[in-house]
Amino acid sequence: MNKKVKSSLSFLVLASLGVVFGDIGTSPLYALKISVEATKGSGAGIPIGVYGVLSLITWALMIVVSIKYVLIIMRTDNKGEGGILALLALVMRKMGNQNHKHIRWIMIVIGALGASLFFGDSLITPAISVLSAVEGLKVLSPGLSHYVITISLFLVVVLFVFEKFGTAKVGVVFGPIMLLFFLVIGYLGIIQIIEQPQILRALNPIYGLNYLVNHFGFAAIVLGAVVLAITGGEALYADMGHFGAKAIRISWFFIALPCLLLNYFGQGALIIKNPAFLDNPFYRLAPDWSLIYLIILSTAATIIASQAVISGVFSMVSQAVQLGLFPRMKIKYTSTKEIGQVYLSKINLILCVGVLFLIINFKNSDSLANAYGVAVTGTMLLTSILACYLLIVLRKWNKFILIPAFFFIFIVDITFFFSNIYKFVDGGWLPILIASICLTLMLSWIVGREKLLKSRWLAAIKIEKFLRDIKRQKVKRVPGTAIFFVPNLKVVPMTLTNNILHNKVLHSRVICMHIKFENYPSLNDNERVDIKKLNQNFYMITVRYGFTEEPNIPRILAFLRAKEFRFSMLETSFFIGKAKLIAKKPSPFTTLFIMMHRIMLDATAYYKIPPERTVEMGGVIEI
């Protein structure tokens, strides 16, 4: 490996700490505390509860994060891109055009549900992370407890206000801050471990298994709390497109995982030494003189963790739009170098209001913990299902290895998921409600969009017949180029037929342009455009984009001119269809789709088409 590659890898390792591991890295602020408190009712006593919880947390990190995500799931990348929607796109591509209609729909629903649960998780993460960090003020001085909610609300508002500037400029400082955070919490843990090295016996999985067997009635409650230690595991997979699998694996195994375990074991040793410190074992690890500095560092880490999750939602929604799972909306690309860095103002506002609502209503991190696990474990389980289908059924990897591996993974995922269901009444309903709303919107859009395209197909004229008709009818041709956007290159767009019907003319050169989003993250320029010339000076042009790329028609026109496709922008008109939809048989799904279709961002703004050169033509379509 040459020096330049080493330097680049080192930078990616450092940068990944600031984005990938923010969520899971800040879990020690609350995970062990809540997990040990969950053992109190079992009558096991603090030492037995601490040893059992530490063992369960250790092996949850090893099995779910290290083995499942880092070693297996990260191998299911979509041209380097990760995340449940990238995985869904890869599954769809591997299935191809084969007749798997029912299986295809099942996979789409699984991917849409996983994305919906992730959206619910993204609301809870900033709230619980910021609250748990600011709650350190109670340890510093009990009198400051009255200011925890106010300070948390202020930090959240500041966080969302600065989201519109993107992470490109400030991202370089995230990595060093998180590296410092990991090293500090690891060091604080080591101090307690040195004093009580016997705590390391909890590395043995027998302690965790014994606790679950001997206190079976509390197993679900304890596992529901332990899962808080692995929140953020999905981020390792979702963010691999930014940093690469190698950098993330190095960061996890050599920095994040060791420091997390050291801190958890240090907290456990401290609780056994003084059970009163269970009120906030994370901050009790710090000497009095350093407490204020740890609070500041932890607050910075939680803000970074929250920012990373929020940016992940922006990226996920952007991918959903371009994969046809959600209506068009305004997307601002905040970096000219990183295609994944986007900002969506409407989503930002929804998230901000949602997080503020959670902080005001739940008031502390312990209460929010009840709502947290359902969204996390649900997304993890759905990711496992998609990955299993991809690797075993579609890619046909070694079944003798993967079937036992996924069988074990499913047992763990299902156990964690159902251990969180009991929290439904105490707050678990929240992410399920959010996911249900998101899933309903996505399925309404998917079904409605299919009906719309089918209606357009049935009502449209085939391009071959149209060319024969205009030659026979001798339609008047006028100078210039007309570009019509079409959902299918085999038929004539409604805007073209309406233009001839009302204006009685046809431009000397007609381009039917089809914008197609592929199940790839990005495409090379030589794959971008296909040009096919027909009779009567008609051209059929297909423009392809990956699901993480920014659509931009002016760039495509510049690309065409570079290919000696000569035309003048001053002599070019763009024709956009503005269809009014009517439901043949009204239903909740159809009504919801029509409503979303009316308020979605128009094609002119989304594709960056020059508005002064654009003509909008209406029509009525029944679906």
Side-chain angles (χ1 to χ4, degrees):
M1 182 183 293
N2 60 45
K3 190 173 182 179
K4 183 178 180 180
V5 173
K6 284 184 179 180
S7 176
S8 176
L9 181 60
S10 300
F11 174 80
L12 290 173
V13 169
L14 181 62
S16 68
L17 289 173
V19 177
V20 178
F21 301 103
D23 191 0
I24 199 169
T26 53
S27 294
L29 275 81
Y30 49 83
L32 188 79
K33 170 183 180 291
I34 294 172
S35 299
V36 174
E37 285 179 340
T39 68
K40 282 185 174 181
S42 66
I46 288 293
I48 294 176
V50 168
Y51 274 90
V53 164
L54 280 176
S55 179
L56 290 171
I57 286 177
T58 299
W59 289 98
L61 289 170
M62 295 304 297
I63 294 171
V64 176
V65 182
S66 299
I67 296 175
K68 173 187 167 181
Y69 276 103
V70 177
L71 298 181
I72 297 178
I73 299 295
M74 286 177 67
R75 296 179 183 274
T76 63
D77 65 293
N78 190 342
K79 297 293 184 180
E81 195 72 25
I84 193 162
L85 287 185
L87 178 57
L88 173 64
L90 179 58
V91 169
M92 294 296 101
R93 188 171 79 240
K94 291 293 183 181
M95 290 179 70
N97 296 321
Q98 300 175 27
N99 189 22
H100 297 302
K101 185 176 180 180
H102 297 299
I103 297 177
R104 180 180 291 273
W105 260 105
I106 291 172
M107 295 297 111
I108 290 174
V109 171
I110 288 173
L113 180 57
S116 301
L117 285 170
F118 181 77
F119 191 87
D121 177 32
S122 67
L123 279 171
I124 302 171
T125 295
I128 193 173
S129 298
V130 173
L131 267 175
S132 61
V134 180
E135 282 169 353
L137 293 173
K138 297 178 182 179
V139 180
L140 183 66
S141 173
L144 296 174
S145 60
H146 301 293
Y147 301 99
V148 169
I149 293 179
T150 303
I151 294 173
S152 298
L153 293 174
F154 172 76
L155 291 174
V156 166
V157 171
V158 171
L159 169 66
F160 280 99
V161 167
F162 278 90
E163 277 296 326
K164 64 182 178 181
F165 298 109
T167 60
K169 295 180 179 179
V170 296
V172 291
V173 302
F174 285 1
I177 291 175
M178 287 306 300
L179 176 61
L180 177 62
F181 176 77
F182 277 118
L183 294 177
V184 168
I185 67 172
Y187 172 74
L188 293 175
I190 286 177
I191 294 174
Q192 295 298 322
I193 294 171
I194 291 174
E195 291 184 11
Q196 300 182 75
Q198 65 273 18
I199 195 69
L200 294 176
R201 288 183 295 181
L203 289 169
N204 190 336
I206 296 299
Y207 282 92
L209 293 174
N210 280 342
Y211 182 86
L212 296 179
V213 171
N214 295 329
H215 306 87
F216 188 75
F218 283 82
I221 297 174
V222 173
L223 287 173
V226 166
V227 78
L228 296 173
I230 57 174
T231 58
E234 185 78 13
L236 276 76
Y237 178 49
D239 289 312
M240 67 181 296
H242 295 289
F243 306 102
K246 187 173 183 179
I248 292 175
R249 287 182 177 126
I250 292 173
S251 299
W252 173 248
F253 284 117
F254 292 97
I255 301 173
L257 179 60
C259 292
L260 286 172
L261 290 177
L262 287 172
N263 189 264
Y264 281 126
F265 276 78
Q267 289 187 49
L270 184 67
I271 294 170
I272 291 175
K273 183 171 69 174
N274 188 343
F277 287 169
L278 183 57
D279 66 331
N280 202 319
F282 178 82
Y283 283 116
R284 295 290 184 185
L285 286 174
D288 292 340
W289 65 268
S290 65
L291 183 56
I292 185 63
Y293 301 109
L294 182 60
I295 293 173
I296 294 172
L297 180 61
S298 299
T299 302
T302 57
I303 290 174
I304 290 171
S306 301
Q307 197 280 332
V309 171
I310 295 164
S311 297
V313 174
F314 294 158
S315 179
M316 182 196 72
V317 175
S318 174
Q319 292 178 20
V321 168
Q322 291 167 319
L323 287 170
L325 306 178
F326 218 65
R328 292 191 302 260
M329 60 179 61
K330 187 176 180 180
I331 300 173
K332 177 184 176 183
Y333 288 77
T334 59
S335 173
T336 57
K337 296 180 180 179
E338 296 291 340
I339 58 175
Q341 294 184 6
V342 295
Y343 170 74
L344 294 87
S345 57
K346 291 181 180 179
I347 300 299
N348 191 62
L349 179 60
I350 292 171
L351 288 174
C352 182
V353 173
V355 173
L356 293 175
F357 172 81
L358 292 180
I359 292 176
I360 292 171
N361 283 271
F362 284 84
K363 294 181 172 58
N364 59 70
S365 57
D366 289 7
S367 299
L368 271 170
N370 291 325
Y372 208 7
V374 177
V376 174
T377 55
T379 305
M380 288 181 171
L381 176 59
L382 295 170
T383 298
S384 296
I385 294 172
L386 285 176
C388 178
Y389 183 74
L390 172 68
L391 295 179
I392 296 177
V393 178
L394 298 179
R395 285 186 174 175
K396 302 186 185 302
W397 285 17
N398 195 317
K399 295 181 180 180
F400 296 102
I401 297 175
L402 288 179
I403 289 179
F406 272 106
F407 180 75
F408 182 66
I409 287 171
F410 281 131
I411 290 176
V412 174
D413 283 345
I414 291 170
T415 300
F416 274 127
F417 178 72
F418 282 103
S419 69
N420 281 274
I421 292 298
Y422 81 93
K423 299 178 181 179
F424 183 86
V425 177
D426 296 324
W429 56 269
L430 179 65
I432 294 177
L433 174 63
I434 295 170
S436 299
I437 294 172
C438 293
L439 183 62
T440 301
L441 291 173
M442 293 176 82
L443 292 181
S444 297
W445 184 258
I446 295 168
V447 173
R449 189 167 174 266
E450 283 199 354
K451 287 183 178 179
L452 174 59
L453 293 175
K454 185 177 180 180
S455 296
R456 281 179 169 175
W457 174 266
L458 293 175
I461 303 171
K462 297 292 178 62
I463 187 67
E464 293 84 359
K465 181 179 184 302
F466 177 80
L467 292 176
R468 290 195 299 269
D469 289 345
I470 62 170
K471 183 178 182 180
R472 185 175 61 254
Q473 296 170 6
K474 297 182 179 180
V475 178
K476 183 180 179 181
R477 308 296 287 256
V478 296
T481 298
I483 299 179
F484 298 87
F485 293 89
V486 296
N488 191 310
L489 288 176
K490 293 182 180 180
V491 298
V492 180
M494 180 177 62
T495 47
L496 178 53
T497 55
N498 285 345
N499 184 48
I500 295 176
L501 178 65
H502 296 291
N503 298 323
K504 312 298 183 183
V505 295
L506 195 62
H507 286 72
S508 62
R509 179 167 55 183
V510 177
I511 296 175
C512 292
M513 185 175 287
H514 174 50
I515 311 296
K516 184 178 182 181
F517 287 96
E518 301 284 2
N519 290 324
Y520 291 89
S522 60
L523 300 173
N524 297 323
D525 283 343
N526 58 359
E527 304 171 301
R528 184 78 60 204
V529 177
D530 283 339
I531 304 172
K532 181 180 180 181
K533 185 175 182 179
L534 304 179
N535 297 328
Q536 307 297 319
N537 210 23
F538 268 66
Y539 292 85
M540 314 302 284
I541 297 180
T542 301
V543 181
R544 295 185 175 88
Y545 288 102
F547 58 80
T548 62
E549 293 184 300
E550 176 185 17
N552 190 313
I553 295 304
R555 290 179 188 170
I556 294 300
L557 299 182
F559 179 82
L560 290 173
R561 282 195 294 269
K563 293 288 185 180
E564 298 184 359
F565 195 91
R566 301 189 182 281
F567 60 89
S568 169
M569 184 64 76
L570 295 176
E571 296 179 351
T572 301
S573 299
F574 299 86
F575 289 81
I576 304 292
K578 199 77 172 180
K580 180 180 179 181
L581 306 185
I582 299 176
K584 290 180 181 178
K585 297 180 180 179
S587 68
F589 275 90
T590 304
T591 302
L592 187 56
F593 170 75
I594 292 174
M595 185 172 65
M596 288 190 290
H597 189 271
R598 286 174 182 169
I599 64 175
M600 74 174 178
L601 185 68
D602 63 86
T604 305
Y606 186 71
Y607 294 116
K608 298 175 178 58
I609 300 169
E612 68 278 5
R613 306 299 308 168
T614 302
V615 178
E616 289 189 349
M617 305 194 73
V620 177
I621 299 178
E622 287 189 330
I623 61 171

